[in-house]
Amino acid sequence: MPKTGMEPIRRKALIGATIAEIGALGSLDVTMGKIAKRAGVSSALAHHYFGGKDDLLLAAMRHLLMQLGLSVAAELKQAHSPEQRLAAIINASFADSQFSKATVSAWLSFYVQAQSSVRAARLLRVYTKRLHSNLVYDLKKLTGPGRADETAKAVGAMIDGFYIRHALQGHALQRDEMIGIINRYWRLSIVA
Amino acid sequence: MPKTGMEPIRRKALIGATIAEIGALGSLDVTMGKIAKRAGVSSALAHHYFGGKDDLLLAAMRHLLMQLGLSVAAELKQAHSPEQRLAAIINASFADSQFSKATVSAWLSFYVQAQSSVRAARLLRVYTKRLHSNLVYDLKKLTGPGRADETAKAVGAMIDGFYIRHALQGHALQRDEMIGIINRYWRLSIVA
Amino acid sequence: MPKTGMEPIRRKALIGATIAEIGALGSLDVTMGKIAKRAGVSSALAHHYFGGKDDLLLAAMRHLLMQLGLSVAAELKQAHSPEQRLAAIINASFADSQFSKATVSAWLSFYVQAQSSVRAARLLRVYTKRLHSNLVYDLKKLTGPGRADETAKAVGAMIDGFYIRHALQGHALQRDEMIGIINRYWRLSIVA
Amino acid sequence: MPKTGMEPIRRKALIGATIAEIGALGSLDVTMGKIAKRAGVSSALAHHYFGGKDDLLLAAMRHLLMQLGLSVAAELKQAHSPEQRLAAIINASFADSQFSKATVSAWLSFYVQAQSSVRAARLLRVYTKRLHSNLVYDLKKLTGPGRADETAKAVGAMIDGFYIRHALQGHALQRDEMIGIINRYWRLSIVA
DNA sequence: AATGAATGAGCCTTCATTCAT
DNA sequence: AATGAATGAAGGCTCATTCAT
């Protein structure tokens, strides 16, 4: 067994364990010890690779953000019209990888943390802005710029709102239903 | 000289301090000591009146819920048509009393806590259901029951979503804009 | 047993335990836990009353400084000539209360800490300056101001130097011998 | 490609880094990691060559002692009378190599460590005795053995005391002033 | 009615040290 | 010759909670 090159492996494992732990606890009140144990290493190692708890949490957040970005990119690749692109963006937000209990919990927790952590807030704003400009970009082709902005805001709020309800109501809402509601909304909105 | 009848005064003060402290911190990582100090009493007294931290937090949540209920009732009193009633319900969610930084922070934090606390989850579900059935009740008069349910879900999600964004983006969004978007949405939806 | 008014008692006990612990260990590598245990309380209480380790250490230092001040004042009360006053000042530095192993160890440790702690350095400078000006005040009456300054510096250095050697050589040096050497020095110096 | 004959180079580098680090920190609260990094090697290597932290610290101390010995020898080579020899010994204690911030800090720290480490105490006693007998050797030629012993003790205390003050008062004292005071002292003392 | 006193438990973090390569 | 990987142990600090008054 090679003793070198463990760093990326450990980092990945620790980030995964962080998200899993947040999902299991349903909050950011996770301990380095528990995360490390879940990743199969000592808590000292987690500090060694990440510097501290905040940094590990942020790294996990960045990971989530990146995954979402990949998800969007993948869906967009198969979209060939503004309408298809809009559906793709919304689909990506509810992709499997984004819709597991752990991931939803983590996102929700990060929302809260963003209120007290500047760095977390910055990261989240990246997500919000990216989503918004993605939506506006295609909506503008289908309607005026004013309506596009408003519709994009509403769609963003709906996505986040459904996330909350999903986490809250024991995942009782069907994914397709949420997607359907949102899609029907913007179709309605652009012709209004 | 110990005074009599202090209990309700202390309870109110402590609940107010709890919400204020959550607002100041932006999270539920709030200490009994800080809350008690803010309320001008010892932390031992907070325990005396509420039993423990969880109970105090729950009581604060219940207070928020009640305030929202009152807000809705007040707005509904002046509404005389289904359309007016729907606008009133939405207005209530964004009433001054519900829209301060502290209150928004507290709500958001309670969302998260609901993932790990059965009691908190139960309370939040009361809110969700009440809002939903309130909306459905009036929407049904304007459209079919199927559409009413879907529209109510979407409106609920939008309200929560805008809450998040409000807390997140430094309260940059205008209240009237959010209300307008939501109202336009259900008007559109019921005629679709 | 009265439950109130414990604070001064605990503070005193903790400061005493701090000095004792430093003496026992011979360094500032002392733990809050050990100190607290020696004082018969929990480490949490030590934090409660002092805020943190640094503050407790500084408080102990201040205590030492104050004790030395009292020692000097007591000796000076019985001195009625410059010569007697000089002897009194030197005597005070080697008074019983200043000359126990624990106290000497603590002083020595504080010297070192003063290199990295601004607050410790400030406190020590108070001591250094006070001693110097005390000495100069009386020396000036016996000799010129230039000689007085130099002699005072030398006497100060000798006191500190003997402290070190005392701590170092297992307290092999006799107190009277040290006092004698120093006293003979300044008597020699002022007539030179 | 592993090189051969690196051991003495690494040892020297590590000892130098140790003293530098102590100087930078102003205390012995120095970590193997930092020392190793300063020396440009891994902390594992420091252990490999020295066995442990205590041993590295002791080695650094021995290095300081040796340097002082060389300094004394060098100065003595040009001294041809007891008086010149005494001045030479004192000069050596304040030679450049002994008087840098790092070195002074290290010496002071070692004084403290000697209270808890038998080996450190032993080393320091070597220094103390060597200095004392060096001084006595020449003083005896100029005065009686009783006076010689006392004067040597006082000179030793003064040297250590000035060291402390030098470290303490931000190196405000001039080297020549200290040397002058000490030299005037023993000249005075032997004729008394 | 209210509080000062006190603590146990737990968490983050640091660090010397070991080991396989 | 040298290091990355990894950890156990320990310390400072916080906090909810209890209790006697």
Side-chain angles (χ1 to χ4, degrees):
Chain A
M1 53 184 123
K3 264 292 181 184
T4 196
M6 296 301 288
E7 175 155 359
I9 297 172
R10 297 304 189 201
R11 290 188 97 98
K12 243 170 251 177
L14 282 164
I15 287 177
T18 302
I19 294 170
E21 189 71 15
I22 293 173
L25 247 78
S27 87
L28 285 185
D29 284 337
V30 293
T31 72
M32 290 295 274
K34 296 264 187 64
I35 291 172
K37 179 167 287 179
R38 194 183 274 266
V41 298
S42 73
S43 75
L45 197 68
H47 278 92
H48 177 64
Y49 281 129
F50 284 94
K53 191 184 183 179
D54 282 356
D55 304 87
L56 176 51
L57 252 29
L58 279 214
M61 197 172 164
R62 248 179 246 116
H63 177 77
L64 251 34
L65 219 46
M66 207 196 58
Q67 263 198 322
L68 177 55
L70 293 179
S71 185
V72 170
E75 295 271 354
L76 279 180
K77 214 167 255 176
Q78 300 162 341
H80 305 296
S81 69
E83 286 89 350
Q84 284 179 351
R85 289 176 53 91
L86 286 169
I89 292 167
I90 291 157
N91 258 336
S93 289
F94 294 90
D96 270 350
S97 58
Q98 295 298 313
F99 215 57
S100 70
K101 169 158 178 23
T103 303
V104 177
S105 280
W107 271 105
L108 187 46
S109 300
F110 284 135
Y111 283 140
V112 175
Q113 205 203 14
Q115 290 186 286
S116 54
S117 156
V118 191
R119 293 195 288 169
R122 202 153 31 209
L123 272 181
L124 266 191
R125 213 151 306 163
V126 167
Y127 149 71
T128 308
K129 291 217 167 133
R130 197 170 64 186
L131 173 59
H132 185 73
S133 63
N134 271 344
L135 292 170
V136 166
Y137 175 80
D138 287 308
L139 284 168
K140 268 203 286 198
K141 296 182 183 165
L142 304 173
T143 183
R147 286 222 59 76
D149 188 73
E150 170 176 324
T151 306
K153 278 179 182 163
V155 167
M158 281 174 114
I159 290 175
D160 287 1
F162 277 130
Y163 247 87
I164 285 189
R165 285 174 143 62
H166 182 64
L168 220 75
Q169 300 183 349
H171 309 81
L173 283 85
Q174 297 299 321
R175 179 202 332 220
D176 291 340
E177 192 183 358
M178 306 188 214
I179 296 179
I181 292 176
I182 302 177
N183 278 327
R184 275 190 288 283
Y185 167 67
W186 65 259
R187 287 207 184 93
L188 223 56
S189 183
I190 57 176
V191 299
Chain B
M1 46 186 140
K3 288 172 192 169
T4 249
M6 294 301 287
E7 174 155 357
I9 296 172
R10 298 301 189 203
R11 292 188 91 99
K12 240 171 258 179
L14 282 164
I15 286 176
T18 303
I19 294 170
E21 190 70 17
I22 292 172
L25 248 78
S27 85
L28 286 185
D29 282 339
V30 107
T31 73
M32 291 294 275
K34 295 262 186 67
I35 292 172
K37 178 169 285 177
R38 196 185 272 266
V41 299
S42 74
S43 72
L45 197 67
H47 276 90
H48 179 62
Y49 279 132
F50 286 93
K53 190 183 184 181
D54 284 353
D55 304 88
L56 176 52
L57 254 29
L58 269 264
M61 198 172 164
R62 247 179 246 116
H63 177 77
L64 251 34
L65 222 43
M66 207 195 57
Q67 262 198 320
L68 178 55
L70 293 178
S71 185
V72 171
E75 294 271 354
L76 279 181
K77 215 168 254 174
Q78 300 162 340
H80 304 298
S81 69
E83 285 89 349
Q84 284 180 349
R85 290 177 51 91
L86 285 168
I89 292 167
I90 291 158
N91 258 335
S93 289
F94 294 90
D96 270 352
S97 58
Q98 296 298 313
F99 215 57
S100 71
K101 169 158 177 24
T103 303
V104 177
S105 279
W107 272 106
L108 187 46
S109 299
F110 284 136
Y111 284 143
V112 175
Q113 206 203 14
Q115 291 185 281
S116 56
S117 157
V118 190
R119 292 193 289 168
R122 201 153 32 211
L123 271 181
L124 265 192
R125 214 151 308 161
V126 167
Y127 149 72
T128 309
K129 291 217 167 132
R130 198 170 63 190
L131 173 60
H132 186 73
S133 61
N134 271 344
L135 293 170
V136 167
Y137 174 81
D138 287 307
L139 284 168
K140 266 203 288 196
K141 295 181 183 164
L142 303 173
T143 183
R147 287 221 61 75
D149 186 73
E150 169 174 325
T151 307
K153 279 178 182 164
V155 167
M158 281 174 115
I159 291 175
D160 288 0
F162 277 130
Y163 246 88
I164 285 189
R165 285 173 143 63
H166 182 65
L168 218 75
Q169 300 184 346
H171 307 82
L173 285 83
Q174 299 298 323
R175 181 204 329 226
D176 292 339
E177 192 183 358
M178 306 189 213
I179 295 179
I181 291 176
I182 302 178
N183 279 328
R184 276 191 289 282
Y185 166 67
W186 65 259
R187 286 204 186 96
L188 221 59
S189 183
I190 57 176
V191 299
Chain C
M1 49 183 126
K3 262 293 178 182
T4 196
M6 296 301 289
E7 175 155 356
I9 297 171
R10 297 303 188 201
R11 290 189 95 97
K12 243 169 251 176
L14 281 163
I15 287 176
T18 302
I19 295 169
E21 189 71 15
I22 293 171
L25 247 76
S27 87
L28 286 186
D29 283 339
V30 105
T31 74
M32 291 295 276
K34 297 263 186 64
I35 291 173
K37 179 167 284 179
R38 195 182 272 265
V41 298
S42 72
S43 76
L45 197 68
H47 279 94
H48 178 64
Y49 281 129
F50 284 94
K53 191 182 183 181
D54 282 356
D55 303 87
L56 176 51
L57 253 28
L58 279 218
M61 197 172 165
R62 247 179 245 115
H63 177 77
L64 251 34
L65 219 47
M66 206 196 58
Q67 263 198 322
L68 177 56
L70 292 178
S71 184
V72 170
E75 294 272 355
L76 279 180
K77 212 168 255 175
Q78 299 161 342
H80 305 296
S81 70
E83 286 89 350
Q84 283 178 351
R85 289 177 51 89
L86 286 168
I89 293 167
I90 291 157
N91 258 335
S93 290
F94 295 88
D96 270 350
S97 59
Q98 295 298 313
F99 216 56
S100 70
K101 168 158 178 25
T103 303
V104 177
S105 280
W107 272 106
L108 186 45
S109 300
F110 285 135
Y111 283 139
V112 175
Q113 206 205 12
Q115 291 186 283
S116 54
S117 157
V118 189
R119 293 195 287 169
R122 199 151 36 206
L123 272 180
L124 266 192
R125 214 152 304 164
V126 167
Y127 149 72
T128 308
K129 292 217 166 133
R130 197 170 64 187
L131 173 59
H132 186 73
S133 64
N134 270 345
L135 292 170
V136 166
Y137 175 81
D138 286 308
L139 284 167
K140 269 203 289 200
K141 296 181 181 165
L142 305 172
T143 183
R147 287 223 59 77
D149 187 73
E150 169 173 326
T151 307
K153 279 178 183 164
V155 167
M158 282 175 113
I159 290 175
D160 287 359
F162 277 131
Y163 245 89
I164 285 189
R165 285 173 142 63
H166 182 65
L168 220 75
Q169 300 184 347
H171 308 83
L173 283 84
Q174 297 298 322
R175 177 199 338 223
D176 291 340
E177 191 182 358
M178 308 190 213
I179 295 178
I181 292 176
I182 301 177
N183 278 328
R184 274 191 288 284
Y185 167 68
W186 64 259
R187 288 207 183 91
L188 222 59
S189 182
I190 58 177
V191 300
Chain D
M1 51 188 138
K3 287 172 193 169
T4 251
M6 294 302 287
E7 175 155 357
I9 296 173
R10 297 303 188 200
R11 294 187 90 99
K12 239 170 256 178
L14 281 164
I15 287 176
T18 301
I19 294 170
E21 190 69 16
I22 293 172
L25 247 77
S27 86
L28 285 185
D29 283 339
V30 108
T31 72
M32 291 294 274
K34 295 263 188 67
I35 292 173
K37 178 168 288 180
R38 197 184 272 266
V41 299
S42 74
S43 73
L45 196 68
H47 276 90
H48 178 63
Y49 279 131
F50 286 94
K53 190 182 184 182
D54 283 354
D55 305 270
L56 175 52
L57 253 28
L58 269 265
M61 197 172 166
R62 246 179 246 117
H63 177 78
L64 250 35
L65 222 45
M66 206 195 58
Q67 263 198 320
L68 178 56
L70 293 178
S71 185
V72 171
E75 294 271 354
L76 279 180
K77 213 167 258 176
Q78 300 162 341
H80 305 296
S81 72
E83 286 90 349
Q84 284 179 347
R85 289 177 51 90
L86 285 168
I89 293 168
I90 291 158
N91 258 336
S93 290
F94 294 89
D96 269 350
S97 59
Q98 296 298 312
F99 215 56
S100 70
K101 169 158 178 24
T103 304
V104 177
S105 279
W107 271 105
L108 186 45
S109 300
F110 285 134
Y111 284 143
V112 175
Q113 205 203 13
Q115 291 185 280
S116 56
S117 157
V118 191
R119 293 193 287 170
R122 199 150 37 207
L123 271 181
L124 265 191
R125 213 153 305 161
V126 168
Y127 149 72
T128 309
K129 293 219 165 130
R130 197 170 64 187
L131 173 60
H132 185 73
S133 63
N134 270 345
L135 293 169
V136 166
Y137 174 82
D138 286 307
L139 283 167
K140 268 204 289 201
K141 296 183 181 162
L142 304 171
T143 184
R147 285 223 60 75
D149 187 71
E150 170 175 324
T151 306
K153 278 178 182 165
V155 167
M158 281 174 114
I159 291 174
D160 288 359
F162 276 129
Y163 246 88
I164 285 189
R165 284 173 145 64
H166 181 65
L168 218 75
Q169 299 183 349
H171 307 82
L173 285 84
Q174 298 298 323
R175 177 197 340 219
D176 292 339
E177 192 183 358
M178 307 190 212
I179 295 179
I181 292 176
I182 301 177
N183 279 327
R184 277 191 287 281
Y185 167 67
W186 65 258
R187 288 208 183 90
L188 222 60
S189 182
I190 58 176
V191 300

